[in-house]
Amino acid sequence: DAGVTQSPTHLIKTRGQQVTLRCSPKSGHDTVSWYQQALGQGPQFIFQYYEEEERQRGNFPDRFSGHQFPNYSSELNVNALLLGDSALYLCASSLRGPSNQPQHFGDGTRLSIL
Amino acid sequence: GQNIDQPTEMTATEGAIVQINCTYQTSGFNGLFWYQQHAGEAPTFLSYNVLDGLEEKGRFSSFLSRSKGYSYLLLKELQMKDSASYLCAVRASPGNYQLIWGAGTKLIIKP
């Protein structure tokens, strides 16, 4: 049973560039959430996708956008990269239902902006 | 505003017991999660509390007091592999699947 998979593992970009990160949810899960985690901090919620729509969004600018595909996989796009966007980007999947459903995380993509 | 507080770092001895506290101030409450995160790895789910009281799961237990906005994670018979960060996260309301996270407590286990 495959868990949550993310690609790429590491990425180096320069300011102003654009990046796309990818996530495949755990088998049987239909909801994908994206988080940004700075070093030594807890994850910060970016947004959540369900049924190919953005259902909820955290306090992130419009430079951060996403997409969910019919197979439940998801992409996170970040435009006009800033130095402050350097972080670990985590994807978490869950099954939409009772609120005690835990989110299962992928190993993340480490994004470095030069 | 929404706020979750945890100690930044704790140290304990192998074989001992440690309690990691979490206090929260959120607009609502619909459950609290504890996750473990080893350096460079993904967070992994440990426990969930929504009602007051203690939930026990092997060497790990988690307690919740909603009236006090307080939870703790209790780790018994500590092992070196328990060295990790422990993250507390709150779901603020039903139907709101966003989790509000604390900054995590780095637990260091010494022989």
Side-chain angles (χ1 to χ4, degrees), chain B residues 65-103:
Chain B
S65 169
R66 288 172 296 170
S67 62
K68 295 182 179 178
Y70 168 70
S71 174
Y72 67 72
L73 181 69
L74 192 71
L75 291 74
K76 303 176 185 176
E77 301 170 13
L78 286 169
Q79 302 174 9
M80 297 302 292
K81 67 178 182 178
D82 297 329
S83 292
S85 285
Y86 291 84
L87 297 155
C88 170
V90 170
R91 178 168 286 139
S93 64
N96 182 343
Y97 290 82
Q98 175 179 351
L99 293 180
I100 302 161
W101 295 78

PDB file of all heavy atoms in Angstrom, chain B residues 65-103:
ATOM      1  N   SER B  65      -7.646  18.559  28.101  1.00  0.00           N
ATOM      2  CA  SER B  65      -8.594  19.305  28.923  1.00  0.00           C
ATOM      3  C   SER B  65      -9.075  20.478  28.075  1.00  0.00           C
ATOM      4  O   SER B  65      -8.347  21.454  27.863  1.00  0.00           O
ATOM      5  CB  SER B  65      -7.938  19.824  30.204  1.00  0.00           C
ATOM      6  OG  SER B  65      -8.803  20.758  30.850  1.00  0.00           O
ATOM      7  N   ARG B  66     -10.300  20.388  27.582  1.00  0.00           N
ATOM      8  CA  ARG B  66     -10.829  21.445  26.709  1.00  0.00           C
ATOM      9  C   ARG B  66     -11.067  22.736  27.470  1.00  0.00           C
ATOM     10  O   ARG B  66     -10.860  23.824  26.945  1.00  0.00           O
ATOM     11  CB  ARG B  66     -12.125  20.964  26.048  1.00  0.00           C
ATOM     12  CG  ARG B  66     -11.898  19.907  24.976  1.00  0.00           C
ATOM     13  CD  ARG B  66     -13.208  19.328  24.495  1.00  0.00           C
ATOM     14  NE  ARG B  66     -13.895  18.626  25.565  1.00  0.00           N
ATOM     15  CZ  ARG B  66     -15.143  18.182  25.486  1.00  0.00           C
ATOM     16  NH1 ARG B  66     -15.846  18.383  24.381  1.00  0.00           N
ATOM     17  NH2 ARG B  66     -15.703  17.541  26.489  1.00  0.00           N
ATOM     18  N   SER B  67     -11.488  22.624  28.733  1.00  0.00           N
ATOM     19  CA  SER B  67     -11.765  23.834  29.513  1.00  0.00           C
ATOM     20  C   SER B  67     -10.490  24.638  29.766  1.00  0.00           C
ATOM     21  O   SER B  67     -10.541  25.869  29.867  1.00  0.00           O
ATOM     22  CB  SER B  67     -12.431  23.477  30.845  1.00  0.00           C
ATOM     23  OG  SER B  67     -11.565  22.677  31.628  1.00  0.00           O
ATOM     24  N   LYS B  68      -9.361  23.949  29.817  1.00  0.00           N
ATOM     25  CA  LYS B  68      -8.091  24.633  30.062  1.00  0.00           C
ATOM     26  C   LYS B  68      -7.320  24.900  28.774  1.00  0.00           C
ATOM     27  O   LYS B  68      -6.256  25.541  28.818  1.00  0.00           O
ATOM     28  CB  LYS B  68      -7.224  23.807  31.013  1.00  0.00           C
ATOM     29  CG  LYS B  68      -7.815  23.664  32.414  1.00  0.00           C
ATOM     30  CD  LYS B  68      -6.895  22.867  33.325  1.00  0.00           C
ATOM     31  CE  LYS B  68      -7.500  22.767  34.716  1.00  0.00           C
ATOM     32  NZ  LYS B  68      -6.651  21.948  35.629  1.00  0.00           N
ATOM     33  N   GLY B  69      -7.807  24.408  27.648  1.00  0.00           N
ATOM     34  CA  GLY B  69      -7.070  24.573  26.400  1.00  0.00           C
ATOM     35  C   GLY B  69      -5.694  23.947  26.493  1.00  0.00           C
ATOM     36  O   GLY B  69      -4.687  24.548  26.096  1.00  0.00           O
ATOM     37  N   TYR B  70      -5.655  22.711  26.967  1.00  0.00           N
ATOM     38  CA  TYR B  70      -4.387  22.082  27.341  1.00  0.00           C
ATOM     39  C   TYR B  70      -4.383  20.622  26.952  1.00  0.00           C
ATOM     40  O   TYR B  70      -5.369  19.899  27.106  1.00  0.00           O
ATOM     41  CB  TYR B  70      -4.213  22.239  28.859  1.00  0.00           C
ATOM     42  CG  TYR B  70      -3.109  21.419  29.479  1.00  0.00           C
ATOM     43  CD1 TYR B  70      -1.770  21.713  29.246  1.00  0.00           C
ATOM     44  CD2 TYR B  70      -3.420  20.355  30.319  1.00  0.00           C
ATOM     45  CE1 TYR B  70      -0.770  20.962  29.834  1.00  0.00           C
ATOM     46  CE2 TYR B  70      -2.426  19.601  30.915  1.00  0.00           C
ATOM     47  CZ  TYR B  70      -1.106  19.916  30.676  1.00  0.00           C
ATOM     48  OH  TYR B  70      -0.108  19.169  31.263  1.00  0.00           O
ATOM     49  N   SER B  71      -3.231  20.189  26.480  1.00  0.00           N
ATOM     50  CA  SER B  71      -3.009  18.789  26.175  1.00  0.00           C
ATOM     51  C   SER B  71      -1.575  18.431  26.535  1.00  0.00           C
ATOM     52  O   SER B  71      -0.707  19.306  26.619  1.00  0.00           O
ATOM     53  CB  SER B  71      -3.239  18.528  24.676  1.00  0.00           C
ATOM     54  OG  SER B  71      -2.900  17.200  24.322  1.00  0.00           O
ATOM     55  N   TYR B  72      -1.353  17.165  26.781  1.00  0.00           N
ATOM     56  CA  TYR B  72       0.032  16.705  26.901  1.00  0.00           C
ATOM     57  C   TYR B  72       0.181  15.341  26.246  1.00  0.00           C
ATOM     58  O   TYR B  72      -0.761  14.564  26.144  1.00  0.00           O
ATOM     59  CB  TYR B  72       0.527  16.678  28.351  1.00  0.00           C
ATOM     60  CG  TYR B  72      -0.119  15.673  29.290  1.00  0.00           C
ATOM     61  CD1 TYR B  72       0.146  14.314  29.189  1.00  0.00           C
ATOM     62  CD2 TYR B  72      -0.963  16.100  30.308  1.00  0.00           C
ATOM     63  CE1 TYR B  72      -0.430  13.402  30.062  1.00  0.00           C
ATOM     64  CE2 TYR B  72      -1.545  15.199  31.188  1.00  0.00           C
ATOM     65  CZ  TYR B  72      -1.278  13.851  31.060  1.00  0.00           C
ATOM     66  OH  TYR B  72      -1.850  12.946  31.920  1.00  0.00           O
ATOM     67  N   LEU B  73       1.406  15.096  25.820  1.00  0.00           N
ATOM     68  CA  LEU B  73       1.810  13.797  25.278  1.00  0.00           C
ATOM     69  C   LEU B  73       2.775  13.181  26.279  1.00  0.00           C
ATOM     70  O   LEU B  73       3.756  13.818  26.665  1.00  0.00           O
ATOM     71  CB  LEU B  73       2.478  13.971  23.918  1.00  0.00           C
ATOM     72  CG  LEU B  73       2.943  12.713  23.205  1.00  0.00           C
ATOM     73  CD1 LEU B  73       1.741  11.886  22.750  1.00  0.00           C
ATOM     74  CD2 LEU B  73       3.832  13.063  22.004  1.00  0.00           C
ATOM     75  N   LEU B  74       2.482  11.966  26.701  1.00  0.00           N
ATOM     76  CA  LEU B  74       3.314  11.273  27.687  1.00  0.00           C
ATOM     77  C   LEU B  74       4.018  10.110  27.000  1.00  0.00           C
ATOM     78  O   LEU B  74       3.360   9.263  26.383  1.00  0.00           O
ATOM     79  CB  LEU B  74       2.441  10.759  28.839  1.00  0.00           C
ATOM     80  CG  LEU B  74       3.159  10.255  30.080  1.00  0.00           C
ATOM     81  CD1 LEU B  74       3.783  11.434  30.829  1.00  0.00           C
ATOM     82  CD2 LEU B  74       2.192   9.511  30.999  1.00  0.00           C
ATOM     83  N   LEU B  75       5.311  10.104  27.085  1.00  0.00           N
ATOM     84  CA  LEU B  75       6.105   9.037  26.486  1.00  0.00           C
ATOM     85  C   LEU B  75       6.778   8.246  27.607  1.00  0.00           C
ATOM     86  O   LEU B  75       7.519   8.803  28.411  1.00  0.00           O
ATOM     87  CB  LEU B  75       7.175   9.588  25.549  1.00  0.00           C
ATOM     88  CG  LEU B  75       6.734  10.246  24.242  1.00  0.00           C
ATOM     89  CD1 LEU B  75       6.137  11.615  24.470  1.00  0.00           C
ATOM     90  CD2 LEU B  75       7.892  10.330  23.264  1.00  0.00           C
ATOM     91  N   LYS B  76       6.522   6.940  27.634  1.00  0.00           N
ATOM     92  CA  LYS B  76       7.089   6.088  28.676  1.00  0.00           C
ATOM     93  C   LYS B  76       8.208   5.228  28.099  1.00  0.00           C
ATOM     94  O   LYS B  76       8.291   5.023  26.885  1.00  0.00           O
ATOM     95  CB  LYS B  76       6.001   5.175  29.250  1.00  0.00           C
ATOM     96  CG  LYS B  76       4.797   5.890  29.810  1.00  0.00           C
ATOM     97  CD  LYS B  76       3.733   4.888  30.265  1.00  0.00           C
ATOM     98  CE  LYS B  76       2.478   5.595  30.724  1.00  0.00           C
ATOM     99  NZ  LYS B  76       1.398   4.622  31.076  1.00  0.00           N
ATOM    100  N   GLU B  77       9.046   4.707  29.006  1.00  0.00           N
ATOM    101  CA  GLU B  77      10.125   3.778  28.607  1.00  0.00           C
ATOM    102  C   GLU B  77      10.858   4.317  27.388  1.00  0.00           C
ATOM    103  O   GLU B  77      10.961   3.655  26.354  1.00  0.00           O
ATOM    104  CB  GLU B  77       9.541   2.392  28.314  1.00  0.00           C
ATOM    105  CG  GLU B  77       8.807   1.775  29.496  1.00  0.00           C
ATOM    106  CD  GLU B  77       8.039   0.515  29.098  1.00  0.00           C
ATOM    107  OE1 GLU B  77       8.270  -0.022  27.989  1.00  0.00           O
ATOM    108  OE2 GLU B  77       7.190   0.092  29.887  1.00  0.00           O
ATOM    109  N   LEU B  78      11.363   5.520  27.526  1.00  0.00           N
ATOM    110  CA  LEU B  78      11.970   6.225  26.403  1.00  0.00           C
ATOM    111  C   LEU B  78      13.082   5.410  25.753  1.00  0.00           C
ATOM    112  O   LEU B  78      13.901   4.774  26.418  1.00  0.00           O
ATOM    113  CB  LEU B  78      12.506   7.571  26.847  1.00  0.00           C
ATOM    114  CG  LEU B  78      11.450   8.640  27.122  1.00  0.00           C
ATOM    115  CD1 LEU B  78      12.076   9.848  27.802  1.00  0.00           C
ATOM    116  CD2 LEU B  78      10.739   9.042  25.838  1.00  0.00           C
ATOM    117  N   GLN B  79      13.095   5.471  24.417  1.00  0.00           N
ATOM    118  CA  GLN B  79      14.127   4.818  23.631  1.00  0.00           C
ATOM    119  C   GLN B  79      14.857   5.889  22.816  1.00  0.00           C
ATOM    120  O   GLN B  79      14.307   6.966  22.557  1.00  0.00           O
ATOM    121  CB  GLN B  79      13.489   3.777  22.701  1.00  0.00           C
ATOM    122  CG  GLN B  79      12.694   2.708  23.445  1.00  0.00           C
ATOM    123  CD  GLN B  79      11.952   1.762  22.513  1.00  0.00           C
ATOM    124  OE1 GLN B  79      12.140   1.766  21.301  1.00  0.00           O
ATOM    125  NE2 GLN B  79      11.093   0.921  23.088  1.00  0.00           N
ATOM    126  N   MET B  80      16.080   5.566  22.406  1.00  0.00           N
ATOM    127  CA  MET B  80      16.863   6.556  21.654  1.00  0.00           C
ATOM    128  C   MET B  80      16.120   6.985  20.389  1.00  0.00           C
ATOM    129  O   MET B  80      16.199   8.140  19.978  1.00  0.00           O
ATOM    130  CB  MET B  80      18.240   5.981  21.301  1.00  0.00           C
ATOM    131  CG  MET B  80      19.103   5.643  22.516  1.00  0.00           C
ATOM    132  SD  MET B  80      19.379   7.070  23.588  1.00  0.00           S
ATOM    133  CE  MET B  80      20.402   8.094  22.538  1.00  0.00           C
ATOM    134  N   LYS B  81      15.372   6.063  19.796  1.00  0.00           N
ATOM    135  CA  LYS B  81      14.659   6.380  18.558  1.00  0.00           C
ATOM    136  C   LYS B  81      13.520   7.384  18.772  1.00  0.00           C
ATOM    137  O   LYS B  81      12.955   7.896  17.803  1.00  0.00           O
ATOM    138  CB  LYS B  81      14.095   5.116  17.924  1.00  0.00           C
ATOM    139  CG  LYS B  81      12.975   4.458  18.733  1.00  0.00           C
ATOM    140  CD  LYS B  81      12.429   3.229  18.012  1.00  0.00           C
ATOM    141  CE  LYS B  81      11.276   2.610  18.793  1.00  0.00           C
ATOM    142  NZ  LYS B  81      10.706   1.431  18.090  1.00  0.00           N
ATOM    143  N   ASP B  82      13.197   7.672  20.039  1.00  0.00           N
ATOM    144  CA  ASP B  82      12.155   8.662  20.322  1.00  0.00           C
ATOM    145  C   ASP B  82      12.671  10.095  20.180  1.00  0.00           C
ATOM    146  O   ASP B  82      11.892  11.058  20.281  1.00  0.00           O
ATOM    147  CB  ASP B  82      11.586   8.465  21.732  1.00  0.00           C
ATOM    148  CG  ASP B  82      10.893   7.129  21.903  1.00  0.00           C
ATOM    149  OD1 ASP B  82      10.334   6.616  20.903  1.00  0.00           O
ATOM    150  OD2 ASP B  82      10.926   6.584  23.022  1.00  0.00           O
ATOM    151  N   SER B  83      13.977  10.237  19.976  1.00  0.00           N
ATOM    152  CA  SER B  83      14.536  11.567  19.723  1.00  0.00           C
ATOM    153  C   SER B  83      13.944  12.103  18.422  1.00  0.00           C
ATOM    154  O   SER B  83      14.165  11.549  17.339  1.00  0.00           O
ATOM    155  CB  SER B  83      16.062  11.504  19.604  1.00  0.00           C
ATOM    156  OG  SER B  83      16.647  11.183  20.833  1.00  0.00           O
ATOM    157  N   ALA B  84      13.167  13.177  18.522  1.00  0.00           N
ATOM    158  CA  ALA B  84      12.434  13.721  17.373  1.00  0.00           C
ATOM    159  C   ALA B  84      11.747  15.002  17.830  1.00  0.00           C
ATOM    160  O   ALA B  84      11.806  15.366  19.006  1.00  0.00           O
ATOM    161  CB  ALA B  84      11.383  12.722  16.877  1.00  0.00           C
ATOM    162  N   SER B  85      11.081  15.653  16.898  1.00  0.00           N
ATOM    163  CA  SER B  85      10.205  16.775  17.259  1.00  0.00           C
ATOM    164  C   SER B  85       8.784  16.261  17.386  1.00  0.00           C
ATOM    165  O   SER B  85       8.353  15.394  16.606  1.00  0.00           O
ATOM    166  CB  SER B  85      10.274  17.870  16.194  1.00  0.00           C
ATOM    167  OG  SER B  85      11.469  18.590  16.290  1.00  0.00           O
ATOM    168  N   TYR B  86       8.060  16.794  18.362  1.00  0.00           N
ATOM    169  CA  TYR B  86       6.679  16.398  18.586  1.00  0.00           C
ATOM    170  C   TYR B  86       5.787  17.615  18.374  1.00  0.00           C
ATOM    171  O   TYR B  86       5.960  18.646  19.023  1.00  0.00           O
ATOM    172  CB  TYR B  86       6.529  15.797  19.981  1.00  0.00           C
ATOM    173  CG  TYR B  86       7.240  14.475  20.065  1.00  0.00           C
ATOM    174  CD1 TYR B  86       8.608  14.414  20.342  1.00  0.00           C
ATOM    175  CD2 TYR B  86       6.567  13.286  19.788  1.00  0.00           C
ATOM    176  CE1 TYR B  86       9.280  13.203  20.358  1.00  0.00           C
ATOM    177  CE2 TYR B  86       7.232  12.065  19.811  1.00  0.00           C
ATOM    178  CZ  TYR B  86       8.582  12.034  20.088  1.00  0.00           C
ATOM    179  OH  TYR B  86       9.244  10.828  20.087  1.00  0.00           O
ATOM    180  N   LEU B  87       4.870  17.475  17.441  1.00  0.00           N
ATOM    181  CA  LEU B  87       4.037  18.591  17.000  1.00  0.00           C
ATOM    182  C   LEU B  87       2.607  18.408  17.470  1.00  0.00           C
ATOM    183  O   LEU B  87       2.024  17.330  17.309  1.00  0.00           O
ATOM    184  CB  LEU B  87       4.057  18.673  15.467  1.00  0.00           C
ATOM    185  CG  LEU B  87       5.410  18.963  14.823  1.00  0.00           C
ATOM    186  CD1 LEU B  87       5.468  18.441  13.406  1.00  0.00           C
ATOM    187  CD2 LEU B  87       5.681  20.452  14.832  1.00  0.00           C
ATOM    188  N   CYS B  88       2.053  19.459  17.998  1.00  0.00           N
ATOM    189  CA  CYS B  88       0.670  19.514  18.439  1.00  0.00           C
ATOM    190  C   CYS B  88      -0.110  20.302  17.384  1.00  0.00           C
ATOM    191  O   CYS B  88       0.365  21.350  16.918  1.00  0.00           O
ATOM    192  CB  CYS B  88       0.639  20.219  19.799  1.00  0.00           C
ATOM    193  SG  CYS B  88      -0.962  20.667  20.441  1.00  0.00           S
ATOM    194  N   ALA B  89      -1.276  19.804  16.980  1.00  0.00           N
ATOM    195  CA  ALA B  89      -2.065  20.489  15.954  1.00  0.00           C
ATOM    196  C   ALA B  89      -3.547  20.446  16.333  1.00  0.00           C
ATOM    197  O   ALA B  89      -4.033  19.419  16.797  1.00  0.00           O
ATOM    198  CB  ALA B  89      -1.859  19.845  14.588  1.00  0.00           C
ATOM    199  N   VAL B  90      -4.238  21.550  16.112  1.00  0.00           N
ATOM    200  CA  VAL B  90      -5.647  21.664  16.484  1.00  0.00           C
ATOM    201  C   VAL B  90      -6.501  21.907  15.250  1.00  0.00           C
ATOM    202  O   VAL B  90      -6.148  22.683  14.358  1.00  0.00           O
ATOM    203  CB  VAL B  90      -5.848  22.831  17.484  1.00  0.00           C
ATOM    204  CG1 VAL B  90      -7.330  23.125  17.697  1.00  0.00           C
ATOM    205  CG2 VAL B  90      -5.170  22.518  18.799  1.00  0.00           C
ATOM    206  N   ARG B  91      -7.645  21.228  15.205  1.00  0.00           N
ATOM    207  CA  ARG B  91      -8.658  21.510  14.187  1.00  0.00           C
ATOM    208  C   ARG B  91      -9.685  22.423  14.849  1.00  0.00           C
ATOM    209  O   ARG B  91     -10.269  22.064  15.862  1.00  0.00           O
ATOM    210  CB  ARG B  91      -9.312  20.229  13.690  1.00  0.00           C
ATOM    211  CG  ARG B  91     -10.401  20.464  12.657  1.00  0.00           C
ATOM    212  CD  ARG B  91     -10.806  19.169  12.005  1.00  0.00           C
ATOM    213  NE  ARG B  91      -9.795  18.695  11.071  1.00  0.00           N
ATOM    214  CZ  ARG B  91      -9.439  17.427  10.948  1.00  0.00           C
ATOM    215  NH1 ARG B  91     -10.000  16.503  11.701  1.00  0.00           N
ATOM    216  NH2 ARG B  91      -8.518  17.073  10.058  1.00  0.00           N
ATOM    217  N   ALA B  92      -9.870  23.598  14.266  1.00  0.00           N
ATOM    218  CA  ALA B  92     -10.626  24.641  14.966  1.00  0.00           C
ATOM    219  C   ALA B  92     -12.134  24.446  14.909  1.00  0.00           C
ATOM    220  O   ALA B  92     -12.857  24.911  15.793  1.00  0.00           O
ATOM    221  CB  ALA B  92     -10.248  26.020  14.423  1.00  0.00           C
ATOM    222  N   SER B  93     -12.648  23.783  13.873  1.00  0.00           N
ATOM    223  CA  SER B  93     -14.099  23.660  13.797  1.00  0.00           C
ATOM    224  C   SER B  93     -14.494  22.488  12.912  1.00  0.00           C
ATOM    225  O   SER B  93     -13.718  22.056  12.059  1.00  0.00           O
ATOM    226  CB  SER B  93     -14.713  24.950  13.251  1.00  0.00           C
ATOM    227  OG  SER B  93     -14.297  25.186  11.933  1.00  0.00           O
ATOM    228  N   PRO B  94     -15.692  21.937  13.116  1.00  0.00           N
ATOM    229  CA  PRO B  94     -16.166  20.845  12.256  1.00  0.00           C
ATOM    230  C   PRO B  94     -16.236  21.309  10.810  1.00  0.00           C
ATOM    231  O   PRO B  94     -16.618  22.439  10.516  1.00  0.00           O
ATOM    232  CB  PRO B  94     -17.573  20.554  12.795  1.00  0.00           C
ATOM    233  CG  PRO B  94     -17.603  21.143  14.155  1.00  0.00           C
ATOM    234  CD  PRO B  94     -16.672  22.317  14.122  1.00  0.00           C
ATOM    235  N   GLY B  95     -15.871  20.431   9.908  1.00  0.00           N
ATOM    236  CA  GLY B  95     -15.921  20.790   8.499  1.00  0.00           C
ATOM    237  C   GLY B  95     -14.764  21.656   8.071  1.00  0.00           C
ATOM    238  O   GLY B  95     -14.564  21.890   6.882  1.00  0.00           O
ATOM    239  N   ASN B  96     -13.984  22.131   9.025  1.00  0.00           N
ATOM    240  CA  ASN B  96     -12.773  22.891   8.699  1.00  0.00           C
ATOM    241  C   ASN B  96     -11.608  21.944   8.851  1.00  0.00           C
ATOM    242  O   ASN B  96     -11.203  21.615   9.956  1.00  0.00           O
ATOM    243  CB  ASN B  96     -12.635  24.070   9.650  1.00  0.00           C
ATOM    244  CG  ASN B  96     -11.409  24.917   9.318  1.00  0.00           C
ATOM    245  OD1 ASN B  96     -10.517  24.478   8.622  1.00  0.00           O
ATOM    246  ND2 ASN B  96     -11.378  26.117   9.838  1.00  0.00           N
ATOM    247  N   TYR B  97     -11.089  21.482   7.738  1.00  0.00           N
ATOM    248  CA  TYR B  97     -10.065  20.459   7.799  1.00  0.00           C
ATOM    249  C   TYR B  97      -8.666  21.033   7.966  1.00  0.00           C
ATOM    250  O   TYR B  97      -7.693  20.308   8.048  1.00  0.00           O
ATOM    251  CB  TYR B  97     -10.144  19.566   6.565  1.00  0.00           C
ATOM    252  CG  TYR B  97     -11.395  18.701   6.603  1.00  0.00           C
ATOM    253  CD1 TYR B  97     -12.625  19.201   6.200  1.00  0.00           C
ATOM    254  CD2 TYR B  97     -11.336  17.401   7.089  1.00  0.00           C
ATOM    255  CE1 TYR B  97     -13.760  18.421   6.273  1.00  0.00           C
ATOM    256  CE2 TYR B  97     -12.471  16.624   7.158  1.00  0.00           C
ATOM    257  CZ  TYR B  97     -13.679  17.126   6.754  1.00  0.00           C
ATOM    258  OH  TYR B  97     -14.805  16.361   6.832  1.00  0.00           O
ATOM    259  N   GLN B  98      -8.575  22.363   8.037  1.00  0.00           N
ATOM    260  CA  GLN B  98      -7.280  22.989   8.255  1.00  0.00           C
ATOM    261  C   GLN B  98      -6.811  22.702   9.668  1.00  0.00           C
ATOM    262  O   GLN B  98      -7.574  22.819  10.634  1.00  0.00           O
ATOM    263  CB  GLN B  98      -7.404  24.504   8.065  1.00  0.00           C
ATOM    264  CG  GLN B  98      -6.141  25.268   8.394  1.00  0.00           C
ATOM    265  CD  GLN B  98      -6.293  26.753   8.171  1.00  0.00           C
ATOM    266  OE1 GLN B  98      -7.292  27.194   7.610  1.00  0.00           O
ATOM    267  NE2 GLN B  98      -5.310  27.522   8.588  1.00  0.00           N
ATOM    268  N   LEU B  99      -5.558  22.302   9.790  1.00  0.00           N
ATOM    269  CA  LEU B  99      -4.936  22.112  11.094  1.00  0.00           C
ATOM    270  C   LEU B  99      -4.066  23.315  11.426  1.00  0.00           C
ATOM    271  O   LEU B  99      -3.339  23.814  10.568  1.00  0.00           O
ATOM    272  CB  LEU B  99      -4.085  20.838  11.105  1.00  0.00           C
ATOM    273  CG  LEU B  99      -4.834  19.515  10.990  1.00  0.00           C
ATOM    274  CD1 LEU B  99      -3.853  18.354  11.012  1.00  0.00           C
ATOM    275  CD2 LEU B  99      -5.857  19.359  12.101  1.00  0.00           C
ATOM    276  N   ILE B 100      -4.154  23.769  12.674  1.00  0.00           N
ATOM    277  CA  ILE B 100      -3.301  24.835  13.177  1.00  0.00           C
ATOM    278  C   ILE B 100      -2.209  24.163  13.997  1.00  0.00           C
ATOM    279  O   ILE B 100      -2.511  23.407  14.928  1.00  0.00           O
ATOM    280  CB  ILE B 100      -4.104  25.818  14.030  1.00  0.00           C
ATOM    281  CG1 ILE B 100      -5.267  26.400  13.201  1.00  0.00           C
ATOM    282  CG2 ILE B 100      -3.210  26.947  14.543  1.00  0.00           C
ATOM    283  CD1 ILE B 100      -6.355  27.005  14.031  1.00  0.00           C
ATOM    284  N   TRP B 101      -0.968  24.445  13.649  1.00  0.00           N
ATOM    285  CA  TRP B 101       0.151  23.698  14.218  1.00  0.00           C
ATOM    286  C   TRP B 101       0.970  24.524  15.198  1.00  0.00           C
ATOM    287  O   TRP B 101       1.175  25.725  15.006  1.00  0.00           O
ATOM    288  CB  TRP B 101       1.093  23.247  13.102  1.00  0.00           C
ATOM    289  CG  TRP B 101       0.481  22.267  12.157  1.00  0.00           C
ATOM    290  CD1 TRP B 101      -0.384  22.537  11.142  1.00  0.00           C
ATOM    291  CD2 TRP B 101       0.689  20.850  12.141  1.00  0.00           C
ATOM    292  NE1 TRP B 101      -0.728  21.374  10.492  1.00  0.00           N
ATOM    293  CE2 TRP B 101      -0.085  20.328  11.077  1.00  0.00           C
ATOM    294  CE3 TRP B 101       1.455  19.975  12.909  1.00  0.00           C
ATOM    295  CZ2 TRP B 101      -0.116  18.965  10.778  1.00  0.00           C
ATOM    296  CZ3 TRP B 101       1.425  18.619  12.600  1.00  0.00           C
ATOM    297  CH2 TRP B 101       0.647  18.128  11.552  1.00  0.00           C
ATOM    298  N   GLY B 102       1.455  23.858  16.247  1.00  0.00           N
ATOM    299  CA  GLY B 102       2.488  24.446  17.071  1.00  0.00           C
ATOM    300  C   GLY B 102       3.840  24.321  16.371  1.00  0.00           C
ATOM    301  O   GLY B 102       3.957  23.635  15.349  1.00  0.00           O
ATOM    302  N   ALA B 103       4.837  24.974  16.945  1.00  0.00           N
ATOM    303  CA  ALA B 103       6.170  24.957  16.341  1.00  0.00           C
ATOM    304  C   ALA B 103       6.918  23.662  16.612  1.00  0.00           C
ATOM    305  O   ALA B 103       7.950  23.408  16.004  1.00  0.00           O
ATOM    306  CB  ALA B 103       6.983  26.151  16.832  1.00  0.00           C
TER     307      ALA B 103
END
